Amino acid sequence: MSAPPSTGATKLEIKGEECSKPGASNGQSGASKKDIIRMAQCCCGNIKLTCLGNPIRVSVCHCYECQRRTGSAFGAQARYSCSKVKIEEKVSSTVYTRKGDENAGKIHFHFCPNCGSTVYYRFDGMDDMLIVTLGAFADKDFPKPTVSVYEDRAHSWSQMTHSTCITQHWA
């Protein structure tokens, strides 16, 4: 009998990197052995992220650009401090940059040039943050979203906007 599939959350020791390729350390001490390590990656495994602990926030976005980018009804993402993320790329990610909605700065989406998976992205002006796409974790036990944005653009059948786990609703 084979072992059950991994949920993506294990307990390990890690030192945070500064949202950069391996080798660029932020100088912080390592995490305790009890901290949760969450692994995210693209479909083919060429881009992998190691995220320490739970995210700062988990959110869903119903804007039209997230719908187009994901090919789904909304985007789902987890926000981490860069000091809690290590990025490993066997091949350099391809970056798609677009202007943010409502006069926001630019958003830089990093995706795998081999399989096309969007794995993470960054916002101009939020240099200490990295946003990881929820699907890249492939973890059914990942924390629930607590923030929902652009709800005025949500599909009428989407129950996410009525969910009790959402504590912040933005139109």
Side-chain angles (χ1 to χ4, degrees):
M1 186 179 275
S2 64
S6 170
T7 64
T10 55
K11 295 188 184 240
L12 299 171
E13 186 172 346
I14 186 172
K15 290 184 180 178
E17 300 293 328
E18 260 191 82
C19 291
S20 61
K21 309 288 188 286
S25 176
N26 65 4
Q28 292 186 358
S29 62
S32 84
K33 291 182 180 181
K34 295 181 181 180
D35 285 334
I36 289 176
I37 302 298
R38 297 190 183 276
M39 308 300 291
Q41 70 177 41
C42 65
C43 287
C44 69
N46 280 332
I47 299 174
K48 296 181 180 184
L49 278 63
T50 304
C51 303
L52 176 63
N54 284 322
I56 294 167
R57 100 176 192 187
V58 180
S59 60
V60 293
C61 180
H62 303 275
C63 81
Y64 297 135
E65 291 302 321
C66 280
Q67 291 178 33
R68 288 182 185 105
R69 176 180 59 81
T70 64
S72 185
F74 51 83
Q77 51 276 330
R79 186 177 295 183
Y80 279 91
S81 168
C82 284
S83 66
K84 304 292 184 180
V85 179
K86 178 182 173 190
I87 300 170
E88 298 176 66
E89 296 183 343
K90 291 180 184 174
V91 296
S92 293
S93 60
T94 300
V95 180
Y96 167 68
T97 300
R98 75 167 184 87
K99 185 181 178 315
D101 290 342
E102 299 179 14
N103 299 320
K106 293 180 180 176
I107 307 170
H108 309 279
F109 296 95
H110 291 255
F111 63 94
C112 177
N114 185 51
C115 66
S117 301
T118 302
V119 182
Y120 65 96
Y121 55 98
R122 314 257 334 242
F123 286 95
D124 280 353
M126 295 178 67
D127 297 336
D128 59 337
M129 294 290 155
L130 185 111
I131 297 90
V132 184
T133 58
L134 233 53
F137 289 102
D139 179 357
K140 68 179 182 60
D141 297 319
F142 201 85
K144 296 176 184 177
T146 58
V147 176
S148 178
V149 298
Y150 291 103
E151 291 184 331
D152 58 336
R153 300 177 190 178
H155 288 257
S156 61
W157 49 262
S158 172
Q159 296 300 306
M160 184 64 64
T161 59
H162 305 294
S163 173
T164 57
C165 69
I166 304 294
T167 59
Q168 295 180 32
H169 298 272
W170 301 346

